[in-house]
Amino acid sequence: MAAIEPKAPEGGTMPGHVAIIMDGNGRWAKSRGLPRSAGHRRGAEAARGCVRAAANLGIRHLTLFSFSAENWKRPLEEVDELMGLLRWYLKSEIDELHNNGVRLRVIGDRSRLATDIIKLIEEAEALTSENTRLNLMIALSYGGRQEVVAAARALAERVSAGELTPDEIDAEQFQAHLYTVDLPDPDLIIRTSGEQRISNFLIWQSAYSELVFLNTLWPDFGEADFLAAIEEYQTRERRYGASISRT
């Protein structure tokens, strides 16, 4: 992982938490006359390089949007291919992540995942739980609206059980029931492929995130693209609104 360290842009604040919507695998494959599976495999390689770059740049938190709740609607063959890539990643990459100080966590609805994948996730999370160089979050079977609904349901259950009154529910209480309860909100969200929307990704957490949209298709995303997005972030004057204070 530490083979060649990219040079961090100078003269600006580095984002502490970067989240990436990895988009464009299918278009990358189509433009080359290849099956979509080839795009997904190349995309997995790009994700590996992205994790390496983030760790070498000193970014503390990286979240990758790998499979959305809506992706379950894709053709079964494509879903099976994606789940196969996930199994490969969890089996072949975890030792390297662990040896390089990366902590892995998966956020999202695990109920639709195969039992063996859930077990691999739990084993990977346990193995890397004490690592501190980089916190890597994989958003899997994830949807921002679904996360908000789940948090609202959990709060309603607490109210029903008499553990909480409606008047005690505030933004802090709500955030405590999200998948990302112990994580900082993303400073920077990057989306590849030229699309300019967040597609149900971290909709609560992204309230004050800076958004950078790149035309690069995800399988072609490399260190130069990562640095370009950070450089764009560093030109922004971040504003949080008059009622928001940050330390």
Side-chain angles (χ1 to χ4, degrees), residues 73-143:
K73 300 175 184 177
R74 292 187 176 186
L76 180 59
E77 182 179 355
E78 184 175 357
V79 171
D80 286 345
E81 169 71 21
L82 290 166
M83 292 298 110
L85 279 173
L86 176 61
R87 288 184 176 92
W88 168 81
Y89 188 88
L90 291 169
K91 291 176 180 178
S92 66
E93 298 295 302
I94 296 307
D95 284 342
E96 181 179 356
L97 292 177
H98 180 51
N99 291 335
N100 284 280
V102 179
R103 180 182 183 184
L104 176 71
R105 283 187 280 180
V106 173
I107 60 173
D109 178 11
R110 302 185 186 186
S111 66
R112 301 185 68 177
L113 298 173
T115 302
D116 67 308
I117 291 178
I118 295 173
K119 182 179 179 182
L120 287 170
I121 290 170
E122 291 173 347
E123 290 173 348
E125 289 179 330
L127 175 66
T128 63
S129 62
E130 301 299 320
N131 295 338
T132 59
R133 184 183 181 192
L134 171 68
N135 291 304
L136 172 62
M137 280 68 64
I138 303 296
L140 177 66
S141 189
Y142 173 86

Side-chain angles (χ1 to χ4, degrees), residues 12-20 58-63 137 183-191 198 201-202 204-213 226 229-230 232-240 244 246-247:
T13 302
M14 287 290 289
H17 183 179
V18 177
I20 305 180
I59 291 170
R60 297 300 306 277
H61 308 279
L62 176 68
T63 301
M137 280 68 64
L183 300 173
D185 292 341
D187 301 296
L188 169 63
I189 294 179
I190 303 168
R191 181 172 185 147
I198 61 172
F201 180 50
L202 298 178
W204 173 278
Q205 300 88 339
S206 64
Y208 290 98
S209 302
E210 296 295 327
L211 308 178
V212 172
F213 301 105
F226 206 164
I230 291 174
E232 171 63 25
Y233 166 83
Q234 291 178 332
T235 68
R236 309 279 180 87
E237 180 182 352
R238 302 194 70 191
R239 299 186 179 95
Y240 299 102
I244 302 295
R246 296 288 177 100
T247 57

Side-chain angles (χ1 to χ4, degrees), residues 1 4 6 48-59 221-223 226:
M1 178 173 290
I4 300 176
R48 185 183 188 190
C50 181
V51 172
R52 181 186 302 113
N56 291 335
L57 285 167
I59 291 170
F221 185 91
E223 291 177 356
F226 206 164

